[in-house]
Amino acid sequence: MLLINCPYCGEREQEEFSCGGEAHIERPKNPPELNDDQWADYLFLRQNIKGLQYERWNHSFGCRQWFNVARNTATDEILAVYKMGEKPPELKSNDPVTPCGEPAIGSGNFSTFKK
Amino acid sequence: MIKRSKKYSVFSLVKNAMSYHENWQPAWRNPEIKKEYDAIIVGGGGHGLTTAYYLAKNHGIRNIAVVEKGWIGGGNTGRNTTIIRSNYLWDQSAAIYDHALKLWEGMSQELNYNVMFSQRGVMNVAHNLHDVRELKRRWHANRLNGIDCEWLDTQGVKNFCPVINTSPNIRYPVLGATLQRRAGTARHDAVAWGYARGADDMGVDIIQNCEVTGINMSNGNVTGIETTKGTINSKKIGVVSAGHSSVIAKMAGIKLPLESRPLQALVSEPVKPVIDTVVMSNTIHAYVSQSDKGELVIGAGTDGYNSYSQRGGFNIVEDTIMAIVELFPLFSRMKMLRHWGGIVDICPDASPIISKTHINGLYFNCGWGTGGFKATPGSGWVFAHTIANDQPHALNSPFSINRFSSGELVDEHGAAAVAH
């Protein structure tokens, strides 16, 4: 279970929150001009990153505020928390060593991130 | 299909008993990697191995490599709750899942490998008026599609599964259930091993501990893959990498409509036979069956965030156990032995993607989300057809990646075991 540092309430258990998925997806500026593929991209296609992901969370059983979290989806490590409307912080060297974030041989599940 | 020398039978058992079972042949080879194959399957789970098996068997393409980053069947094939059923709502899903169920029925004989397929029935339990309406709708939809399904009232549920608590005084009382008698469970590892053995016997190279690190392309065609064991060339690449599909897709510059999330399950200490069917409840988020070893196999809902960590939150397990204990008070003092998580790739419409891509020779079979195990043979069957003919089988044409542009979604959220 994650321990999430709500920017308004402080650290709380993940059970109090709900995840709103990938952050910084902008609503198209000219919706009538979009073709079907562009709509599909906006509505359905997701980066689904293994590694550093910027995502939205809502403190749904607390202050009910939305905010953003930068989390490593390979290890579930929370790297930064920032408010809605703020630019995502630039974090260094967050790509897994191999594409799946695991050692080249075998299927261990520990973090191979360099910090 | 299996060569006579390798065939398992009572005679081979007796023969090997003479040498204290020390001379059994390995079920599949550990081959040298060739430079080029007619087709490469990325991912050695159930779906990948069945794809290779049916490419060899149905389409005569035998020069195939299955590359697996860990060991075969070590991902979601070894992490599911082994439930098999085909009681889906929409015609497209009913067709593909029932095709798979029919293949399950003959699988042990065909593979000469006991996959312990047990048609013990699956009950989907209703706890409120909405559940009753939805499940009756699915019951009728199933009957119209020729899939066996029955409606049981509360007493019928009690008769079919006597240990269930049908008291009207519990928080979510049992108001009825659908029952698919042809549904059931199978031994998940045996499915991977059986298909691996069958594919290997037809010449398929199964390459374990070989992780894909890149996809090579030129002029819109795939030419091969980069792996931790070097470059392997092929003009056809089928990706069946479940939770890591988006990671592989990114190597080819493709974005998929998938979200990878942890899905947890747990098993109890083994006890004497107590529950001889599969009980699932969408509303209270739990499903349970008993393995042949006697362990209760319990599945939970997905965790509500993306993760590749193969572990989830304890709150999900707690919710599931609370539901199980209310439905089955006699399980309240059982100890749980093991608990694990797998990474499932969920589509927005809870249906799979079995599709060509805009890159020639690159195919994806993904998005099975929380319910891929039941479809293992059917998925491989239609994906092999798609790869061999460069066009989808009639059963998987509705599951093209283009449906997210056209809007022809196959919304099966209601037919998932529990609402995820």
Side-chain angles (χ1 to χ4, degrees), chain B residues 24-42:
Chain B
W24 286 99
Q25 295 298 306
W28 55 87
R29 296 164 294 132
N30 196 11
E32 286 285 310
I33 304 172
K34 295 181 209 161
K35 275 198 174 145
E36 181 153 6
Y37 289 92
D38 294 341
I40 296 174
I41 307 299
V42 178

Side-chain angles (χ1 to χ4, degrees), chain B residues 59-370:
Chain B
H59 305 282
I61 301 173
R62 297 189 170 199
N63 185 25
I64 307 173
V66 177
V67 293
E68 163 58 45
K69 79 174 154 94
W71 61 93
I72 61 162
N76 290 354
T77 305
R79 289 165 189 269
N80 60 77
T81 48
T82 78
I83 297 162
I84 295 156
R85 61 189 171 89
S86 64
N87 55 352
Y88 278 71
L89 177 66
W90 300 108
D91 297 355
Q92 302 94 316
S93 326
I96 193 165
Y97 286 107
D98 208 50
H99 175 63
L101 183 49
K102 284 171 187 158
L103 290 170
W104 279 107
E105 287 171 334
M107 190 186 290
S108 292
Q109 285 75 15
E110 180 178 341
L111 295 178
N112 177 235
Y113 203 97
N114 186 6
V115 297
M116 295 162 76
F117 180 49
S118 156
Q119 291 177 298
R120 59 184 67 185
V122 166
M123 278 202 306
N124 287 82
V125 182
H127 299 279
N128 54 45
L129 200 57
H130 173 75
D131 283 359
V132 172
R133 286 184 187 137
E134 279 299 314
L135 283 171
K136 282 193 172 172
R137 181 186 178 204
R138 244 166 75 197
W139 162 42
H140 290 304
N142 288 163
R143 291 190 319 129
L144 290 171
N145 275 316
I147 293 170
D148 71 307
C149 190
E150 294 165 39
W151 174 258
L152 303 177
D153 60 9
T154 307
Q155 191 55 45
V157 171
K158 186 76 181 166
N159 293 344
F160 190 70
C161 181
V163 290
I164 200 166
N165 181 8
T166 50
S167 158
N169 298 323
I170 61 176
R171 174 65 184 85
Y172 296 101
V174 174
L175 300 184
T178 57
L179 169 63
Q180 186 182 18
R181 288 184 194 268
R182 282 163 67 230
T185 60
R187 173 82 201 280
H188 49 3
D189 295 322
V191 178
W193 298 335
Y195 273 103
R197 177 169 168 264
D200 177 89
D201 199 53
M202 290 185 282
V204 174
D205 283 356
I206 295 164
I207 301 155
Q208 303 182 76
N209 289 319
C210 178
E211 184 183 337
V212 174
T213 55
I215 292 180
N216 299 332
M217 294 176 286
S218 83
N219 302 328
N221 301 299
V222 285
T223 56
I225 52 171
E226 294 296 328
T227 74
T228 48
K229 291 187 174 179
T231 307
I232 313 176
N233 295 324
S234 179
K235 293 193 176 74
K236 284 175 185 276
I237 294 167
V239 181
V240 205
S241 54
H244 280 81
S245 297
S246 297
V247 177
I248 304 277
K250 199 178 163 192
M251 295 173 192
I254 296 175
K255 230 167 128 186
L256 294 171
L258 298 176
E259 305 224 37
S260 295
R261 292 182 170 186
L263 175 60
Q264 301 178 79
L266 58 162
V267 297
S268 72
E269 57 190 332
V271 290
K272 287 187 177 178
V274 60
I275 176 166
D276 62 355
T277 184
V278 182
V279 178
M280 309 182 118
S281 170
N282 195 319
T283 301
I284 59 171
H285 271 213
Y287 41 106
V288 62
S289 62
Q290 191 173 19
S291 73
D292 290 358
K293 278 189 283 184
E295 300 158 326
L296 295 180
V297 183
I298 295 168
T302 50
D303 285 70
Y305 53 88
N306 290 13
S307 174
Y308 288 85
S309 65
Q310 289 190 322
R311 66 186 82 120
F314 192 71
N315 53 324
I316 303 281
V317 176
E318 193 180 10
D319 286 350
T320 299
I321 292 297
M322 286 193 312
I324 293 284
V325 168
E326 189 181 59
L327 264 190
F328 303 96
L330 83 167
F331 295 161
S332 65
R333 275 168 290 172
M334 283 186 71
K335 294 181 178 72
M336 292 298 149
L337 278 193
R338 298 190 304 281
H339 155 239
W340 65 91
I343 300 305
V344 296
D345 43 332
I346 300 179
C347 260
D349 59 354
S351 285
I353 296 167
I354 314 163
S355 180
K356 295 169 67 171
T357 62
H358 68 266
I359 298 161
N360 288 329
L362 184 63
Y363 309 88
F364 270 86
N365 183 353
C366 57
W368 288 94
T370 58

